[in-house]
């Protein structure tokens, strides 16, 4: 089967990296693979090294996460009418001209399946373009983005939703797509880890240890972890917190 993976972020987040790791193994299974991604994706050279056919998309790619919404005043962001209006505007901007560019990549690749690596909301361009060309589409759901009405309608065309956790699947189910969803956790490349290395002395202890791994950006919620740890300290004075990652 020919599969076109569509990755629409700038490569700074985990979706591009996990796709790169996935494609290191998929060609061995008999799939014909190609990838459509923004021409300025930071991992473009890494995809080339794999020998994967790429379809560069012009324009500026967004970073992962709801960065634009975070710039709005909090009270405005929390109003239902504003969120619905913003969703409609975002949806329109995703499926017009940029969607046309992606449709051209789809025609060139002629895939039997489109794999929207950023899920329904961030990957609406991919879902809409696949629908236009009547190509089956699968969405890889990685987060808890709000699914407003235009995205719900678009989601009816998706064949399958792959969710990275049970929490994400519950979110997808609330949006009305539960019967077409399943959980497939992110894989781990065991060759990249060395369990024989001695643990950091600062992590030694007998009390509870909270660990956060991932890119350090506000929308990942590390500040929520720190707030929770502060509230737990009176009951667990030997509590330890380890945060691993790079970013903002």
């Amino acid at each position: 089967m020919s599969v076109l993976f569509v990755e629409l972020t700038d490569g700074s987040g985990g979706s591009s990296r996990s796709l790169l790791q996935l494609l290191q193994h998929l060609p061995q299974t008999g799939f014909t693979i190609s990838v459509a991604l923004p021409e300025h994706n930071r991992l473009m050279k890494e995809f080339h090294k794999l020998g994967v056919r790429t379809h560069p998309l012009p324009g500026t790619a967004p970073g992962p996460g709801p960065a634009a919404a975070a710039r709005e005043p909090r009270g405005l962001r929390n109003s239902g009418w504003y969120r619905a209006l913003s969703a409609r505007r975002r949806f329109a901007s995703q499926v017009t001209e940029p969607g046309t560019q992606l449709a051209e990549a789809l025609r060139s690749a002629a895939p039997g399946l489109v794999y929207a690596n950023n899920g329904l909301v961030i990957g609406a361009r991919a879902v809409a373009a696949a629908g236009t060309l009547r190509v089956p589409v699968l969405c890889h759901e990685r987060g808890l983005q709000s699914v407003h009405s235009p995205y719900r309608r678009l989601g009816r065309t998706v064949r399958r939703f792959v969710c990275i956790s049970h929490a994400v699947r519950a979110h997808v189910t609330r949006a009305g797509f539960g019967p077409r969803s399943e959980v497939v956790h992110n894989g781990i490349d065991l060759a990249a880890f060395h369990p024989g290395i001695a643990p950091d002395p600062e992590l030694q202890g007998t009390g509870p240890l909270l660990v956060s791994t991932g890119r350090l950006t506000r929308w990942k919620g590390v500040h929520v972890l720190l707030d929770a740890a502060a509230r737990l300290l009176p009951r667990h004075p030997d509590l330890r917190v380890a945060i691993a990652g790079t970013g903002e």
Side-chain angles (χ1 to χ4, degrees):
M1 173 184 284
S2 174
V3 182
L4 175 66
F5 289 84
V6 181
E7 166 59 43
L8 296 175
T9 72
D10 63 3
S12 62
S15 62
S16 290
R17 179 63 63 182
S18 74
L19 176 59
L20 190 65
Q21 293 174 346
L22 174 64
L23 296 188
Q24 290 174 347
H25 303 282
L26 262 187
Q28 303 173 16
T29 65
F31 289 100
T32 301
I33 302 300
S34 57
V35 181
L37 72 170
E39 57 188 352
H40 299 301
N41 184 287
R42 300 181 187 184
L43 298 180
M44 177 71 81
K45 292 182 179 179
E46 300 298 321
F47 284 104
H48 287 164
K49 289 180 182 178
L50 292 180
V52 175
R53 181 187 179 190
T54 59
H55 301 269
L57 302 174
T60 302
R71 292 193 292 267
E72 302 289 351
R74 183 181 297 272
L76 192 58
R77 294 203 312 265
N78 291 338
S79 62
W81 68 267
Y82 179 79
R83 291 198 301 268
L85 178 60
S86 296
R88 291 180 182 277
R89 288 177 174 173
R90 183 174 63 248
F91 181 81
S93 68
Q94 286 175 299
V95 300
T96 52
E97 182 58 31
T100 302
Q101 298 165 355
L102 186 54
E104 293 174 358
L106 262 69
R107 292 189 183 94
S108 174
L113 174 70
V114 170
Y115 193 108
N117 194 51
N118 309 108
L120 174 63
V121 175
I122 298 177
R125 290 168 56 187
V127 178
T132 299
L133 299 180
R134 300 183 182 277
V135 179
V137 59
L138 178 152
C139 284
H140 198 141
E141 298 298 329
R142 304 175 182 276
L144 305 176
Q145 291 86 4
S146 298
V147 186
H148 291 279
S149 57
Y151 296 100
R152 290 175 189 263
R153 289 193 295 271
L154 184 63
R156 296 170 187 164
T157 67
V158 177
R159 293 287 183 92
R160 203 73 177 166
F161 293 87
V162 174
C163 307
I164 65 169
S165 69
H166 291 286
V168 171
R169 189 184 184 209
H171 179 72
V172 168
T173 299
R174 288 191 294 271
F177 309 128
R180 287 177 283 144
S181 67
E182 60 183 282
V183 175
V184 179
H185 296 108
N186 286 336
I188 298 175
D189 185 358
L190 297 179
F193 296 90
H194 307 281
I197 297 177
D200 190 322
E202 294 185 1
L203 298 181
Q204 300 290 342
T206 58
L209 174 62
L210 301 181
V211 179
S212 172
T213 61
R215 195 166 49 88
L216 301 182
T217 186
R218 183 173 179 80
W219 83 278
K220 289 285 188 179
V222 177
H223 60 291
V224 178
L225 171 64
L226 295 176
D227 180 63
R231 298 185 183 193
L232 288 171
L233 274 175
R235 286 182 289 167
H236 302 279
D238 53 352
L239 176 70
R240 297 159 296 149
V241 177
I243 298 175
T246 60
E248 299 173 4

